[in-house]
Amino acid sequence: MKKYAIIIEKAPDGGYGAYAPDLPGCVGMGANKEEAIQNVTEAILFHLEGLAEEGLPIPESTSEAENLIIAG
């Protein structure tokens, strides 16, 4: 089992986008946060399956995400 960080962003239109920094091109969009997460999960699984089928290495996760609170 692999663990990958994802970044979730709210779009100006109210929808959401999500991507995996360690897996360029793995993105998901959705009308809500849950849908975006579901879609990026499917993209990640599809990407990893393709790499395995081609005999290519599976990237290790090196990214982390944190929320910073900036007082000001």
Side-chain angles (χ1 to χ4, degrees), residues 8-33:
I8 304 163
E9 299 175 332
K10 187 167 183 168
D13 69 358
Y16 285 82
Y19 66 94
D22 293 313
L23 302 168
C26 285
V27 299
M29 305 295 289
N32 55 52
K33 186 176 174 180

Side-chain angles (χ1 to χ4, degrees), residues 5-55:
I6 62 169
I7 304 299
I8 304 163
E9 299 175 332
K10 187 167 183 168
D13 69 358
Y16 285 82
Y19 66 94
D22 293 313
L23 302 168
C26 285
V27 299
M29 305 295 289
N32 55 52
K33 186 176 174 180
E34 293 76 20
E35 189 175 300
I37 292 170
Q38 176 66 36
N39 289 336
V40 76
T41 300
E42 290 175 9
I44 290 168
L45 292 171
F46 182 73
H47 182 69
L48 296 177
E49 182 179 292
L51 291 173
E53 286 178 4
E54 295 292 322

